[in-house]
Amino acid sequence: MAKFKVKRPHIGDREYQVGDVREANSQVVAHLVASGVLEAIGDEAVTSKTAPPAKDKAEPSIKNKASE
């Protein structure tokens, strides 16, 4: 469990105010760190649950010869 400093008030397992220290699993609160609600304390690495953006796999559109 990692420790995080509360930067904006929010309700988690209890109500947290600015300056409180919250102890939580870094993967569970990754969205709060990304949105600026929490800040990691120490050398805790925060990993996000979100997947990396998908690459564009669609083929390029075919030009219609009739419209030229």
Side-chain angles (χ1 to χ4, degrees):
M1 298 270 266
K3 292 187 179 184
F4 299 90
K5 179 180 178 184
V6 178
K7 295 171 66 179
R8 291 196 322 233
H10 68 282
I11 300 173
D13 55 337
R14 65 176 183 85
E15 190 171 341
Y16 291 95
Q17 299 299 322
V18 177
D20 289 347
V21 175
R22 179 175 181 177
E23 190 172 331
N25 184 332
S26 60
Q27 292 179 337
V28 172
V29 297
H31 66 287
L32 295 173
V33 174
S35 64
V37 175
L38 297 177
E39 179 181 343
I41 297 176
D43 297 334
E44 300 295 331
V46 178
T47 57
S48 178
K49 284 185 170 182
T50 58
K55 294 182 180 178
D56 187 16
K57 295 181 182 179
E59 294 183 23
S61 60
I62 301 171
K63 293 184 178 181
N64 189 349
K65 293 182 183 179
S67 65
E68 289 182 358

